[in-house]
Amino acid sequence: MASVQPIRPRSAEPIPLHAHAMDNLRYIRETLEGASAFTAVSGWGGVAIGITALATAVLASRQSGEKLWLATWICEALLSFCIATWAVYRKAGRAAVPPLSKPGRKFALSFSPPMIAGLLLTIALYREGLASLLPGAWLLLYGAAVTNAGAFSVRIVPAMGIGFMLCGVCALFSPAAWGNAYMAAGFGGLHILFGLVIARRHGG
């Protein structure tokens, strides 16, 4: 005699309740992380960068040729990168927030393309003997990078980026002899000004 088969197949093993809860918590955490702002932008780091930029502007103004002037500002760019990296990791560590969290990765990815464009444009302009355009190009592209990345940070950061862009536009359409002064005003003055605001309003 043939065996009787149930009309409905036997259901699979039920998923434990705690597994559902863990999945829901993971989804909520990832959603909140993706929607949060990158708050590890360091105001005091910006102040330090501004001070070194002012010193660099004075030093660069005393160089005898474009090559030495360019080398001076490239050294400042490398120093600023080191200061910014250290300051971000320090502030993120105090807040117990991973610097490479989802908002941090978005910030970095948005910041990078204009900076890479600036590097390539520096090489091209210098090779063509157009180094006088570099201050305006640097300020404009750095401002674009800060504005882009600021979409994933606190509101003051995009405003700072726009300030750099305006400074870059003025430098591009001003006499070449004013370029170093614009570099001091932008990379020095704006970093110090906005750095103090960020430090006061956003915890350092």
Side-chain angles (χ1 to χ4, degrees):
M1 183 176 179
S3 60
V4 178
Q5 298 293 332
I7 296 175
R8 296 182 179 178
R10 183 175 296 177
S11 60
E13 195 69 28
I15 299 175
L17 183 61
H18 74 274
H20 277 299
M22 291 300 294
D23 288 341
N24 290 337
L25 287 174
R26 188 180 301 110
Y27 173 77
I28 293 170
R29 184 172 62 249
E30 290 175 353
T31 302
L32 290 175
E33 185 183 61
S36 61
F38 181 66
T39 57
V41 176
S42 173
W44 293 121
V47 172
I49 291 171
I51 292 171
T52 60
L54 289 177
T56 300
V58 174
L59 184 61
S61 67
R62 297 178 179 177
Q63 302 307 314
S64 57
E66 286 183 349
K67 189 174 183 179
L68 290 175
W69 178 88
L70 179 61
T72 303
W73 277 108
I74 288 176
C75 289
E76 165 61 17
L78 294 174
L79 176 61
S80 296
F81 176 78
C82 293
I83 293 173
T85 302
W86 173 80
V88 165
Y89 271 83
R90 184 172 179 269
K91 185 173 180 179
R94 290 203 317 268
V97 176
L100 295 180
S101 60
K102 194 170 184 179
R105 292 195 301 271
K106 288 180 179 179
F107 186 95
L109 289 174
S110 299
F111 186 83
S112 299
M115 298 303 292
I116 295 172
L119 173 62
L120 297 175
L121 195 58
T122 299
I123 297 170
L125 290 176
Y126 183 75
R127 287 179 60 183
E128 295 299 320
L130 298 172
S132 61
L133 296 177
L134 286 175
W138 285 344
L139 288 162
L140 191 60
L141 287 169
Y142 181 74
V146 173
T147 303
N148 283 349
F152 304 103
S153 187
V154 292
R155 291 183 180 179
I156 192 70
V157 175
M160 179 172 67
I162 292 171
F164 276 103
M165 292 180 72
L166 292 174
C167 193
V169 170
C170 292
L172 284 174
F173 294 99
S174 295
W178 298 4
N180 207 63
Y182 277 112
M183 295 281 282
F187 292 118
L190 289 179
H191 268 135
I192 292 173
L193 174 63
F194 282 95
L196 289 172
V197 174
I198 292 171
R200 181 178 180 182
R201 294 183 180 178
H202 301 285

